Amino acid sequence: MVLLEAFGFATQEVFDYNRENYSFDNEQRLDKEKTRLTMQVERFNLFREDIEDLVDLTVSKMDMYHAVAALLLGSAATLYTEGRMHVPGNTPPWYVGIYFTSIAGTFCYLLLAVWLSMYASVCSHAFGVRLRTRFVRLPIPSLADLQALTAKLQDFEKQGVTNVLRVPFAAGPPQWKLEKEAEEARLRAAGAAGPSSSSASGPGVGGPSTAATNAASEINKKAASAVHDWLGSGEA
């Protein structure tokens, strides 16, 4: 009887120890995933700030060119309409013709400069908006990602006798069977079975460690390619 009581007490202590160990490991896992998601959002914020800086560089220059060209355009229009040549004696007609032709050419070139600077500013701003809205969106976790992060103490009952009654220092570290890992294994098996089953599962079901990471790497490649093409076309 004493041996049975001692065995029961030892079993309860081992069970409580492993249960607390399971709770501690899940808290660490949740903190790690939370930090990873936060750093991922901050990383994409840096990407968006870089795109905004590149866009502002072009927009600020074009706005300056636009203002200067607009002032010179007003001066050219004033000279063409109200300008007088104070030349002693009779002014030759050919001289007057060259004078007004030069002012008219200046007016045309300044009008073209105003239009091109405005066009470049609008195009640069539109391209920056396109990059931020289509390629560098913030990786906000979906509902499936958040559900994959949840941990219930009820899952401890599914860990098997080996993990539930693991003797400390006598066995290796526990291998917890998480619901997220089981879902990922199911998705991998479905993907190996055929492309139709994997496409029907939808984005984000595999948890943040698979779907979000793959989506982030794909977005990085697209954004880098788009920015490279933009800079290449600007240099050309």
Side-chain angles (χ1 to χ4, degrees):
M1 183 62 68
V2 177
L3 292 177
L4 291 178
E5 291 179 357
F7 179 77
F9 179 76
T11 303
Q12 180 181 0
E13 290 295 327
V14 169
F15 178 84
D16 292 339
Y17 171 79
N18 288 314
R19 190 168 182 268
E20 293 178 0
N21 193 14
Y22 177 79
S23 300
F24 177 79
D25 290 346
N26 272 285
E27 290 177 1
Q28 296 293 319
R29 181 180 65 86
L30 292 177
D31 291 340
K32 182 185 69 175
E33 292 292 338
K34 180 181 177 181
T35 304
R36 186 185 65 82
L37 291 175
T38 303
M39 295 303 295
Q40 190 173 7
V41 171
E42 292 296 329
R43 180 166 173 260
F44 273 78
N45 275 328
L46 292 177
F47 292 159
R48 294 172 65 88
E49 290 177 1
D50 292 339
I51 293 175
E52 187 176 358
D53 292 339
L54 289 173
V55 171
D56 288 341
L57 181 63
T58 303
V59 171
S60 59
K61 284 186 176 181
M62 293 301 106
D63 289 345
M64 181 181 63
Y65 293 157
H66 180 269
V68 174
L71 292 176
L72 295 176
L73 185 64
S75 301
T78 303
L79 287 175
Y80 192 85
T81 55
E82 301 180 2
R84 297 294 182 270
M85 292 184 298
H86 298 284
V87 180
N90 294 328
T91 304
W94 60 268
Y95 187 84
V96 177
I98 293 176
Y99 172 75
F100 282 105
T101 302
S102 300
I103 295 179
T106 303
F107 182 86
C108 293
Y109 278 113
L110 288 174
L111 183 62
L112 185 63
V114 169
W115 178 71
L116 289 178
S117 62
M118 186 184 303
Y119 179 78
S121 178
V122 172
C123 286
S124 179
H125 185 73
F127 193 81
V129 172
R130 179 172 176 268
L131 283 177
R132 288 194 294 266
T133 54
R134 295 187 60 183
F135 298 102
V136 200
R137 299 291 288 180
L138 291 178
I140 305 299
S142 63
L143 181 60
D145 296 333
L146 296 178
Q147 288 178 351
L149 290 177
T150 57
K152 300 182 292 292
L153 202 58
Q154 184 182 0
D155 296 335
F156 179 71
E157 302 171 1
K158 305 176 184 179
Q159 301 303 317
V161 181
T162 305
N163 290 325
V164 170
L165 299 178
R166 186 184 67 89
V167 179
F169 305 106
Q175 302 295 329
W176 305 121
K177 300 177 183 178
L178 302 178
E179 183 178 357
K180 181 185 68 173
E181 296 177 354
E183 185 69 19
E184 290 178 357
R186 186 186 66 81
L187 288 177
R188 285 194 297 268
S196 59
S197 59
S198 61
S199 61
S201 60
V205 182
S209 60
T210 54
T213 304
N214 295 334
S217 61
E218 187 68 21
I219 288 174
N220 289 342
K221 294 179 182 178
K222 291 182 179 180
S225 177
V227 172
H228 183 270
D229 295 341
W230 179 36
L231 294 177
S233 61
E235 291 176 358

